[in-house]
Amino acid sequence: MLDMRYCELSKDGFGCCMTVKETLFSAQSEFQKVDIFDTESMGRVLTLDGLMMTTERDEFYYHEMISHIPMCAHKNPKTVLVIGGGDGGTIREVLKHDTVEKVVLCEIDGMVVDACKKYLPAIGCELENPRAEIRIEDAIEFIKDKKKQYDVILIDSTDPMGPGEGLFTEEFYTNVKEALKEGGIMAAQSESPFINQKEMKMMYPLLRKVFPIVDCFTGPIPSYPGGYWSWAFCSESVKPLDYIDEQRAEKVSKLCKIYNKEYHKARFALPNFVKELIK
Amino acid sequence: MLDMRYCELSKDGFGCCMTVKETLFSAQSEFQKVDIFDTESMGRVLTLDGLMMTTERDEFYYHEMISHIPMCAHKNPKTVLVIGGGDGGTIREVLKHDTVEKVVLCEIDGMVVDACKKYLPAIGCELENPRAEIRIEDAIEFIKDKKKQYDVILIDSTDPMGPGEGLFTEEFYTNVKEALKEGGIMAAQSESPFINQKEMKMMYPLLRKVFPIVDCFTGPIPSYPGGYWSWAFCSESVKPLDYIDEQRAEKVSKLCKIYNKEYHKARFALPNFVKELIK
């Protein structure tokens, strides 16, 4: 039998492995290598340029965090923009909020969306929801002329290299801020506090140049190297724990494997070394 | 060059890997296989029967949690018993509390203690502290005649198989409860909510048969499979968030990479699926 194993290892040789049963999709898009394979341990898995994006078994650890924390911290999120997130997991979570009239997904790579619709239906199940608008566009261009249009913007990007690189710049963050309505909130994946300390030390000071309120929340993600992840919470006027929509949080929690109001609040209590990283 | 890699994979092929530079110690004790090796990514690493116990780079994620949460929840912990924990990391943390007059380490395997003193000095540095008493004994026997002797008991065991198996029984937990003084607290590592759901579902109902108060706290540990770990908090009279010794927590936090009072409180906010696991 062929013993095929996917491993995502850091330069110094630490990381996460899983045995591969079968490759379902593998192609080079205009932007990156897109692979979907099946594993016994983690179900179906999406990688981009060989880096772990999501697995069927643990995708909710990531998607519930990036979505429900900013969404429940907003009083009435009607229009939401998701940047990246072509697998559809983030918009699936956003659409659990009945305040949402429209969620726009701006993903640069149409191949990711098409492949996930076909091979990761449990994650991509809301990509054809009538409240979702899928734009296959470069978010860096897309955002430029959007002024005061969104209540919540979620940056569900790859790492700050390759196609995702331009999503980690002061110019881009400034445009995101201007695309937010008054009282708007931006959340962005901000890498691993264990593996990507350099990237976090680069990202948070940039965010602080743009947003008066910048905070960080963290949580476990088994399939990511180091198993521990962070997200930035940014706004012009909303502090992370100023407000939680109790009723909506309660309703959404019933549809979630992780998210609940107490867990939401607890995410902002950071380890000493993470406080240092985001200074 | 020899490309040697340590991988701890679950039966279905998911887990954590690291490249090995050099083996420093490898021997079969009376109880288990003891290995210490050096890695570029994680520093020196201890495994028992091939399972990851601790690494120099991320050991504090585990040791700070199992120690400071029960210790700061106790009003005046003078006598502490650590069961297992032969690497010395847990007693190192316990000894950061100046209330402690004596910490007894009861480890079944003298080879672990000796090897860690020699090869993992950053972790085993307090094994010769005059406030520490090292007993190379089977905790199952040791605990039997200890009645109302300890303020805090920490079960820093291996998994519920091999030498650690007898540390996950109703009889053992009953003896631990009886070894606690009034107002005493027991904390025990309780496996991974991601990988060891079966073990958690077995352990918590057993604990509830013995202790009127049983709760769970969780946190990340990069080098453990799944990167996410849990500990049980048990007591006859103390609820986990009834009390935190603010002054001691503040003092200890200054000596820690992770622990602080807010993080302590936040550990007890559990994901929905973990609440189900420990019901």
Side-chain angles (χ1 to χ4, degrees):
Chain A
M1 205 188 100
L2 185 66
D3 180 14
M4 202 157 68
R5 195 179 285 172
Y6 166 81
C7 291
E8 181 175 340
L9 301 178
S10 59
K11 270 184 211 150
D12 55 8
F14 172 72
C16 184
C17 286
M18 57 195 75
T19 304
V20 175
K21 284 204 300 198
E22 187 188 358
T23 297
L24 300 168
F25 181 85
S26 182
Q28 179 72 40
S29 78
E30 194 184 336
F31 305 99
Q32 55 204 342
K33 179 95 190 302
V34 180
D35 287 282
I36 297 178
F37 50 85
D38 198 13
T39 70
E40 200 184 318
S41 55
M42 303 298 280
R44 294 184 175 190
V45 174
L46 167 72
T47 65
L48 296 177
D49 282 340
L51 298 175
M52 172 61 57
M53 290 297 123
T54 197
T55 83
E56 282 182 332
R57 182 166 163 208
D58 80 337
E59 52 91 9
F60 61 89
Y61 283 80
Y62 177 91
H63 292 126
E64 291 188 13
M65 287 301 101
I66 195 173
S67 305
H68 302 310
I69 289 184
M71 290 294 289
C72 287
H74 193 285
K75 288 187 180 165
N76 188 18
K78 290 183 182 175
T79 54
V80 177
L81 172 63
V82 175
I83 290 168
D87 56 54
T90 299
I91 68 161
R92 182 196 61 199
E93 295 304 314
V94 166
L95 287 165
K96 289 179 180 171
H97 295 256
D98 51 21
T99 55
V100 173
E101 292 167 1
K102 191 164 92 171
V103 53
V104 178
L105 178 79
C106 182
E107 162 67 54
I108 200 169
D109 195 342
M111 189 188 277
V112 174
V113 175
D114 293 340
C116 291
K117 263 194 219 169
K118 186 161 176 191
Y119 295 105
L120 291 171
I123 303 175
C125 52
E126 299 294 347
L127 284 163
E128 301 198 350
N129 186 303
R131 288 189 288 155
E133 180 186 331
I134 313 301
R135 306 289 296 253
I136 304 302
E137 280 180 58
D138 183 352
I140 296 168
E141 292 305 315
F142 176 84
I143 199 84
K144 280 183 179 163
D145 63 348
K146 306 295 180 295
K147 303 295 168 197
K148 295 190 185 297
Q149 293 206 12
Y150 303 102
D151 296 307
V152 172
I153 298 180
L154 306 177
I155 308 184
D156 181 3
S157 70
T158 51
D159 298 329
M161 55 188 85
E165 199 173 345
L167 307 178
F168 293 78
T169 65
E170 188 179 341
E171 191 193 343
F172 179 69
Y173 295 142
T174 305
N175 288 333
V176 166
K177 187 179 77 173
E178 290 175 2
L180 285 170
K181 288 186 194 168
E182 213 164 300
I185 296 166
M186 184 270 259
Q189 78 83 0
S190 64
E191 305 288 296
S192 160
F194 185 68
I195 301 282
N196 309 110
Q197 302 198 342
K198 209 182 73 189
E199 288 80 1
M200 287 184 75
K201 279 186 192 164
M202 177 273 289
M203 184 174 173
Y204 279 83
L206 271 189
L207 289 168
R208 286 217 171 76
K209 281 190 182 176
V210 177
F211 290 97
I213 294 163
V214 175
D215 210 327
C216 174
F217 55 103
T218 69
I221 304 184
S223 67
Y224 282 10
Y228 184 40
W229 213 252
S230 74
W231 297 265
F233 180 108
C234 305
S235 176
E236 202 139 27
S237 56
V238 183
K239 287 184 193 158
L241 297 178
D242 274 357
Y243 174 82
I244 293 181
D245 187 318
E246 307 256 342
Q247 234 183 328
R248 198 149 36 83
E250 180 73 23
K251 230 168 145 176
V252 162
S253 170
K254 288 188 180 138
L255 306 169
C256 283
K257 291 178 188 151
I258 289 195
Y259 182 82
N260 60 61
K261 194 183 67 189
E262 294 71 29
Y263 194 73
H264 174 148
K265 287 184 197 163
R267 294 304 89 209
F268 292 91
L270 299 175
N272 299 340
F273 80 91
V274 178
K275 288 187 195 177
E276 281 299 314
L277 285 178
I278 64 163
K279 253 185 183 171
Chain B
M1 205 189 100
L2 184 67
D3 179 15
M4 201 157 69
R5 193 178 285 172
Y6 165 81
C7 291
E8 181 174 342
L9 300 178
S10 59
K11 270 186 213 151
D12 54 8
F14 172 72
C16 183
C17 287
M18 56 194 78
T19 303
V20 175
K21 284 204 299 199
E22 187 188 358
T23 297
L24 301 168
F25 180 86
S26 182
Q28 178 71 40
S29 78
E30 193 184 335
F31 304 101
Q32 55 205 343
K33 180 95 189 302
V34 180
D35 288 282
I36 297 178
F37 49 87
D38 198 13
T39 69
E40 201 184 318
S41 55
M42 302 298 280
R44 294 184 175 189
V45 173
L46 167 70
T47 64
L48 296 177
D49 282 339
L51 297 174
M52 171 61 57
M53 290 299 124
T54 196
T55 83
E56 282 183 333
R57 183 167 164 208
D58 80 336
E59 52 92 7
F60 60 89
Y61 283 81
Y62 177 91
H63 292 126
E64 291 189 13
M65 286 302 102
I66 195 173
S67 306
H68 301 311
I69 289 183
M71 290 294 288
C72 287
H74 193 285
K75 288 187 179 165
N76 188 19
K78 290 182 181 176
T79 55
V80 178
L81 171 63
V82 174
I83 289 167
D87 55 54
T90 299
I91 69 160
R92 183 197 61 201
E93 295 304 315
V94 166
L95 287 165
K96 289 179 178 170
H97 296 256
D98 51 20
T99 54
V100 173
E101 293 167 0
K102 190 164 94 170
V103 54
V104 178
L105 178 79
C106 183
E107 162 65 55
I108 199 167
D109 196 342
M111 189 187 278
V112 174
V113 175
D114 293 339
C116 292
K117 264 194 217 169
K118 186 160 177 193
Y119 295 105
L120 290 172
I123 303 175
C125 52
E126 299 293 348
L127 284 163
E128 300 197 351
N129 187 304
R131 288 189 287 156
E133 179 187 333
I134 314 300
R135 307 289 294 254
I136 305 302
E137 281 181 56
D138 183 352
I140 296 169
E141 292 305 316
F142 176 85
I143 199 83
K144 280 185 180 163
D145 63 349
K146 307 294 179 296
K147 303 295 169 198
K148 294 192 185 298
Q149 294 206 13
Y150 302 102
D151 295 308
V152 172
I153 298 179
L154 305 177
I155 307 184
D156 181 3
S157 71
T158 50
D159 298 328
M161 56 189 85
E165 199 172 347
L167 306 178
F168 293 79
T169 64
E170 187 178 342
E171 190 192 345
F172 180 68
Y173 295 141
T174 304
N175 289 333
V176 166
K177 187 180 78 175
E178 289 175 3
L180 285 170
K181 287 186 196 169
E182 212 163 301
I185 296 166
M186 183 271 257
Q189 79 81 3
S190 64
E191 305 288 297
S192 160
F194 186 68
I195 301 283
N196 309 110
Q197 302 199 341
K198 207 181 73 187
E199 288 80 2
M200 287 184 74
K201 280 187 194 164
M202 177 271 290
M203 184 174 173
Y204 279 84
L206 271 190
L207 289 167
R208 285 218 171 75
K209 281 191 184 177
V210 176
F211 290 95
I213 294 163
V214 175
D215 210 328
C216 174
F217 56 103
T218 69
I221 304 183
S223 66
Y224 281 11
Y228 184 40
W229 213 253
S230 74
W231 297 267
F233 180 109
C234 305
S235 177
E236 202 140 25
S237 56
V238 183
K239 285 184 194 158
L241 297 178
D242 273 357
Y243 174 82
I244 294 180
D245 187 318
E246 306 256 341
Q247 236 183 327
R248 197 150 37 83
E250 180 73 21
K251 233 169 145 174
V252 162
S253 170
K254 287 187 181 137
L255 307 169
C256 283
K257 292 179 189 150
I258 289 195
Y259 182 81
N260 60 61
K261 194 183 68 189
E262 293 71 32
Y263 194 73
H264 175 147
K265 287 183 197 163
R267 294 304 89 207
F268 291 92
L270 300 174
N272 299 340
F273 79 93
V274 178
K275 289 187 194 175
E276 281 299 314
L277 285 178
I278 65 164
K279 252 185 182 171

